[in-house]
Amino acid sequence: MNGDYVIRQVRVDDWLAVKELRLAALRDPMAPVAFLESYEQARAQPDEFWKDRTARCAEGGQNRQFVAEGPLGDWAGTVTVLVEEPGMEDFTGQRIEQRQAHIVGVFVCEERRGGTVAPDLFRAAVGWALAEEGVSRVRLLVHEDNSRAEAFYRKAGFERTRVVGDEYEMEYRPAA
């Protein structure tokens, strides 16, 4: 809970709100270093794309998208957790060695930054990931030019583990 915001998992019928929040994220000045797609690419996608994308990360599936939802249905932020299986390759071409969770798609609306929306979203995402059977590692990637995001991830318990191109892989390592 974040003041009036509730952290929850997306539902299949949330696809239009998922689309709207993603498009807002892609208009952020840091979007070119934070996301793998552009606003123009995402905006051009048909509704079926957004319905499928939402369904893949909705309640009951292998992956999860969390949102901070206000009392009027407004969304202040989001984070998505992808479960990666041993033997598969991630989007960088790296082989996955163990069942792990990968945090992606992190975005908080500018007017909600600096408060508790992002920490609350991360608590929910990391908690869900570590509760999944066999998941013992949670990671994310942050661009070397996104120091604001990296500083937040450090506060949330993530530490750099390696360099992947122009990004740092960070792993969740809570303080003892």
Side-chain angles (χ1 to χ4, degrees), residues 56-166:
R56 286 193 319 264
C57 292
E59 292 177 302
Q62 179 173 345
N63 305 310
R64 285 293 186 287
Q65 181 175 358
F66 294 87
V67 294
E69 183 176 42
L72 301 177
D74 57 307
W75 287 6
T78 185
V79 62
T80 299
V81 183
L82 306 176
V83 176
E84 299 173 318
E85 300 293 347
M88 67 184 278
E89 284 187 6
D90 69 11
F91 71 94
T92 69
Q94 298 292 314
R95 187 174 187 282
I96 304 302
E97 300 295 329
Q98 63 191 31
R99 190 163 203 256
Q100 63 188 20
H102 187 165
I103 293 181
V104 299
V106 178
F107 176 70
V108 174
C109 296
E110 188 172 358
E111 63 275 10
R112 294 293 172 193
R113 293 178 187 160
T116 60
V117 169
D120 290 350
L121 283 166
F122 263 70
R123 257 190 302 285
V126 170
W128 177 84
L130 293 175
E132 285 297 289
E133 185 176 337
V135 171
S136 59
R137 180 175 189 253
V138 180
R139 71 178 185 135
L140 55 79
L141 295 171
V142 62
H143 194 276
E144 64 188 3
D145 294 335
N146 199 347
S147 58
R148 183 186 76 211
E150 183 180 2
F152 167 74
Y153 299 148
R154 287 184 182 280
K155 284 182 185 177
F158 286 80
E159 295 178 14
R160 284 186 192 175
T161 52
R162 66 188 175 112
V163 176
V164 180
D166 56 3

